[in-house]
Amino acid sequence: MERSDHATEGDPLKRGEDGTETVTGAASASGPKKRSCKGLGFSRLTHWRTAVFFLSLFLCLIIVFAFSFIMPCPVRAQYLVTWKKTFSESGLFFLFFFLFILHLRNILNRGLTVTLTFSHTVTYEFLAFEHSNDDKVKDVLFIIKNTNGTLNQTCTEAGLPSPCVFVVAVDGTDGDTLWERPLHPEFQWAHCDQGKKTSRTWHCLMSHSGNLTAINKNTGHVIWQQPQPTVLVGSLPVLSVPDLDQDQVDDVVLVASNSTLTQLILLSGKTGAQMGSTVVLDSVQTANHLIHVTVKGFYYILLQNDTDVYGLELLGIAAKAGLKTDKVMEAKANSAVTLLPIYQSNAVSLVRTKEADDSSDLLVVSGNEVALINGKTLRLKWKFSCSSVIGKPSLGHFNKDGVLDVVVEDDVGNQTKRIIILDGKSGGVLWEVRLLAIANSPGPASIYTTKSISVFIVWGLMPSESNSTKPLSISQRSYLLHPHHSEVLLEITNVTDHILSFKATLMEHGRHAAYLLLTGPESEDTNGTVVLTKQKLKQNISKDDVRHLGTSTETNEEIVEAFQRLRFSD
């Protein structure tokens, strides 16, 4: 066969870059060997890369599994189905419920009831809700007056007169005592921050025997104790305010009043010592007070008496008291304290629409009127007239406009009350019902849901369920209201005992709605048994609990299913 002297298309390696023939026959013979060596090196490199990849993956898996077994998983608390705590009759005069409760995850998941029983007690009340330890379960903090504590600690051993005051923290999971702190009697009042974040290391302030004592809720340690700077006594007279003395710790204002004057006392949040002099407002008697923050960030103390609601600028009060920090002097060149009128009414109570927001709207409640004040402008938004307002209004979302609506109870006579839900935007009536009014009945409550509405809880007795042969005080019942099914109520509680306090809340962040019920003796001078019950809100509801207010096309099963599908949110 003839051999061509020209490179062919099938033999491209015989050409150089310029297309000329540069490779001889011998060179052509050696060409394939060089190409084979390059391919072998690349193949070996690929194998090494694959080996390194799988080795790294193997090492990562080993580390992950090793840490999975070495590092212990978080231990979840073991909750008791029911726990009770009883105090002996000797020397026990009163019991103040301070902080409650309870995430209680496992109990709530199984829909069980927690009952706390106290024997021979007299006075009781919920004041706040807090965590006392690190198990993510809210605990019970209360005050007793006795000769002995729950940990066998006596007043005598603590160097105090007997009986003395004990501040006790009880574990919400099983009722065991976490800590207790004996204090000198007598007890006047107590205030806690109720979950608000502050720079202080204490959480509760107690007034007892002329002393002010700041206590840490987690350990029970006394952070500081100071003599009470005033003899005037108010009802929960403590206001938490920003740092005024520039020590990086939020401070406190005491508001004390009698029939002729009101005193404002600034206290250091760090030491409890009085800052400056006492500011006295002559001819002003204060019934309620709140701290309020304007749009521009100015802090005002709102004071309410029997005719007006007015405000005082906090920095003006500090300047009047004689504080000479840069913050005070720059903001207030003179020491004049000016009363700023906000709303004129024969007010009975002053309610903030959002507890955690010091700039939220305000409800001014009088005997026959409810008025909403704009928190940004401190101007009247709307007002609603009633026959006779019962207690304090509650708030919730009846519609989906994102504005809190107002629940008011109005006494219309003949042992009947009208429960009204008012539109938060306009003050118009969104829903109402008439129930038989029971003596000492709790006020309304609500819990927010993931559907941007709230489920409401109201107390009373349906006229169709009353028995004319028995007094109305025999039975008190609570009902659930679903805004999307407003023609029916769902009965959840039937109580024959005397109700001392009631609270509906979320037990955990964004889940587990429940209500807390405290029952006990009717008179403060009567010893008896106090029972504290926690129960899941949707527990044990059935079609037999549906109460129709009018004509409804939905069956009882559909109503119960709608309530069961509710999911709750903060």
Side-chain angles (χ1 to χ4, degrees):
M1 179 180 293
E2 294 183 357
R3 186 165 67 96
S4 174
D5 293 333
H6 300 283
T8 64
E9 186 176 356
D11 196 8
L13 293 179
K14 290 184 179 181
R15 289 183 177 274
E17 293 181 358
D18 57 355
T20 60
E21 183 180 339
T22 58
V23 183
T24 63
S28 297
S30 63
K33 293 182 180 180
K34 293 180 180 180
R35 187 166 66 251
S36 176
C37 290
K38 289 182 179 179
L40 181 60
F42 180 78
S43 177
R44 288 177 179 175
L45 183 60
T46 301
H47 292 161
W48 276 109
R49 287 177 177 173
T50 303
V52 170
F53 170 75
F54 280 106
L55 179 61
S56 301
L57 181 61
F58 181 70
L59 290 175
C60 289
L61 291 175
I62 290 178
I63 293 173
V64 170
F65 282 110
F67 275 95
S68 298
F69 288 103
I70 293 174
M71 297 180 64
C73 296
V75 178
R76 299 183 67 180
Q78 299 298 315
Y79 306 112
L80 299 179
V81 174
T82 300
W83 54 265
K84 297 181 180 181
K85 197 169 187 68
T86 303
F87 295 90
S88 63
E89 180 178 4
S90 174
L92 182 59
F93 294 103
F94 57 82
L95 175 64
F96 279 87
F97 279 95
F98 232 24
L99 311 169
F100 201 83
I101 250 172
L102 333 143
H103 287 250
L104 293 180
R105 235 181 234 109
N106 289 0
I107 292 180
L108 285 168
N109 286 338
R110 294 176 299 194
L112 300 174
T113 301
V114 179
T115 302
L116 179 63
T117 303
F118 301 91
S119 296
H120 309 291
T121 59
V122 177
T123 306
Y124 347 79
E125 185 179 358
F126 291 122
L127 295 181
F129 294 77
E130 288 289 350
H131 294 275
S132 189
N133 55 15
D134 297 328
D135 62 0
K136 296 183 180 180
V137 176
K138 286 189 177 180
D139 306 301
V140 185
L141 200 71
F142 57 89
I143 299 174
I144 61 172
K145 185 177 182 181
N146 205 350
T147 56
N148 302 316
T150 59
L151 297 177
N152 296 324
Q153 187 177 11
T154 66
C155 301
T156 305
E157 292 173 350
L160 299 172
S162 184
C164 61
V165 172
F166 285 90
V167 184
V168 185
V170 172
D171 195 334
T173 61
D174 53 17
D176 289 342
T177 299
L178 298 173
W179 55 261
E180 64 182 16
R181 175 63 52 190
L183 297 175
H184 200 288
E186 296 287 331
F187 174 79
Q188 281 90 39
W189 52 259
H191 172 82
C192 293
D193 288 328
Q194 302 190 37
K196 288 186 177 181
K197 293 183 179 180
T198 70
S199 56
R200 297 190 293 262
T201 57
W202 55 269
H203 309 91
C204 296
L205 188 62
M206 315 284 179
S207 174
H208 61 101
S209 297
N211 293 318
L212 291 177
T213 301
I215 294 180
N216 184 291
K217 68 179 181 182
N218 303 113
T219 62
H221 293 161
V222 174
I223 305 302
W224 53 257
Q225 187 174 83
Q226 294 283 357
Q228 188 163 332
T230 178
V231 296
L232 300 181
V233 179
S235 176
L236 290 182
V238 180
L239 291 174
S240 297
V241 298
D243 178 25
L244 294 174
D245 56 358
Q246 298 180 346
D247 61 359
Q248 309 304 315
V249 179
D250 292 343
D251 297 316
V252 173
V253 175
L254 293 182
V255 182
S257 178
N258 61 15
S259 59
T260 59
L261 58 86
T262 293
Q263 295 179 342
L264 304 176
I265 304 102
L266 305 179
L267 300 180
S268 168
K270 188 174 184 178
T271 65
Q274 181 171 350
M275 302 184 299
S277 59
T278 300
V279 177
V280 179
L281 306 177
D282 293 326
S283 302
V284 176
Q285 181 182 8
T286 302
N288 292 287
H289 45 268
L290 291 173
I291 192 75
H292 187 76
V293 184
T294 65
V295 177
K296 295 183 179 180
F298 293 105
Y299 283 79
Y300 280 80
I301 293 179
L302 304 185
L303 303 176
Q304 174 244 314
N305 59 18
D306 56 353
T307 59
D308 298 279
V309 177
Y310 51 90
L312 295 170
E313 189 176 354
L314 177 61
L315 292 180
I317 296 172
K320 183 69 174 178
L323 268 67
K324 299 186 180 300
T325 63
D326 294 339
K327 184 190 228 178
V328 173
M329 298 306 293
E330 289 177 7
K332 207 72 178 177
N334 58 69
S335 60
V337 177
T338 304
L339 297 177
L340 175 65
I342 295 176
Y343 188 71
Q344 186 173 9
S345 170
N346 57 337
V348 175
S349 60
L350 189 63
V351 180
R352 192 188 306 283
T353 56
K354 298 179 181 179
E355 291 185 2
D357 184 2
D358 290 336
S359 61
S360 62
D361 294 347
L362 304 168
L363 279 173
V364 180
V365 184
S366 64
N368 56 4
E369 182 184 85
V370 176
L372 184 67
I373 306 298
N374 190 310
K376 296 180 179 180
T377 63
L378 295 180
R379 302 292 183 185
L380 177 67
K381 273 189 172 183
W382 53 259
K383 60 181 178 180
F384 182 83
S385 298
C386 305
S387 299
S388 178
V389 179
I390 303 174
K392 289 185 178 181
S394 178
L395 297 125
H397 293 271
F398 188 84
N399 51 27
K400 294 186 176 182
D401 60 3
V403 179
L404 282 167
D405 303 311
V406 183
V407 188
V408 180
E409 290 188 322
D410 184 20
D411 186 358
V412 295
N414 197 25
Q415 294 185 310
T416 303
K417 64 181 177 180
R418 183 169 66 131
I419 302 175
I420 316 161
I421 299 182
L422 303 176
D423 187 5
K425 280 187 175 181
S426 64
V429 176
L430 296 174
W431 179 89
E432 67 174 284
V433 69
R434 295 192 178 219
L435 299 178
L436 296 178
I438 310 299
N440 200 51
S441 179
S446 69
I447 300 180
Y448 192 58
T449 72
T450 56
K451 294 183 178 292
S452 301
I453 58 174
S454 299
V455 58
F456 295 86
I457 305 172
V458 296
W459 285 82
L461 187 63
M462 296 278 290
S464 59
E465 297 179 310
S466 65
N467 188 337
S468 58
T469 62
K470 295 182 180 180
L472 291 181
S473 59
I474 290 296
S475 177
Q476 298 195 74
R477 303 185 186 184
S478 62
Y479 304 91
L480 288 179
L481 167 64
H482 193 309
H484 292 172
H485 306 273
S486 57
E487 294 181 351
V488 298
L489 293 176
L490 187 66
E491 183 180 322
I492 58 172
T493 308
N494 189 339
V495 181
T496 57
D497 296 326
H498 179 73
I499 297 176
L500 301 166
S501 189
F502 167 79
K503 178 71 175 180
T505 186
L506 286 181
M507 301 296 103
E508 296 184 68
H509 178 65
R511 59 186 299 184
H512 292 165
Y515 65 85
L516 312 169
L517 190 64
L518 188 67
T519 59
E522 296 185 17
S523 172
E524 295 184 359
D525 300 325
T526 304
N527 288 335
T529 299
V530 175
V531 178
L532 176 63
T533 303
K534 186 279 308 174
Q535 186 163 324
K536 191 175 180 180
L537 193 63
K538 298 189 293 183
Q539 180 184 349
N540 297 330
I541 62 175
S542 69
K543 63 179 182 179
D544 296 330
D545 300 321
V546 177
R547 305 290 181 263
H548 291 267
L549 301 177
T551 59
S552 175
T553 58
E554 296 174 294
T555 65
N556 289 0
E557 289 80 1
E558 291 173 335
I559 297 298
V560 171
E561 179 64 24
F563 279 97
Q564 293 288 8
R565 285 198 305 265
L566 286 174
R567 297 296 179 266
F568 299 95
S569 176
D570 292 317

